[in-house]
Amino acid sequence: MQTHPEFRGRGVGSALMRELRRIARDDLGLEQLHLAARGEEGLEGFYSRLGWREVGRWPGALRLAPDDTRDEVLMLLDPL
């Protein structure tokens, strides 16, 4: 899921991710989170700025259209 283009750059996505982290840690008692993101969308940089790190990549795992294949980027956030 991505923030609607109209709202990008306003901190909405960052605020949502900070709240996700707080709920995972404080309410659910989790110690780490992982996610998969579509490559070549700038998401790796977004998540990295929030403390996530890339731990793996599946080259060409996502086929969005016959001529558009992307990597699936695996990311980890620990500790919460």
Side-chain angles (χ1 to χ4, degrees):
M1 182 183 313
Q2 294 182 1
T3 305
H4 189 279
E6 235 177 79
F7 297 99
R8 289 184 189 153
R10 297 182 186 186
V12 174
S14 297
L16 288 170
M17 294 305 294
R18 282 193 301 275
E19 182 64 6
L20 169 74
R21 184 178 192 162
R22 186 199 65 74
I23 290 169
R25 182 189 60 231
D26 299 345
D27 297 349
L28 301 176
L30 301 177
E31 296 180 5
Q32 83 177 199
L33 295 173
H34 62 89
L35 62 80
R38 183 186 326 172
E40 300 175 38
E41 295 284 333
L43 297 172
E44 299 99 312
F46 168 76
Y47 289 119
S48 291
R49 288 188 296 278
L50 296 173
W52 295 77
R53 64 185 168 92
E54 184 175 329
V55 294
R57 185 176 285 258
W58 289 333
L62 303 172
R63 185 173 185 193
L64 306 177
D67 59 346
D68 188 3
T69 303
R70 310 283 177 91
D71 293 353
E72 185 166 18
V73 182
L74 309 174
M75 302 195 80
L76 181 70
L77 179 64
D78 69 333
L80 297 180

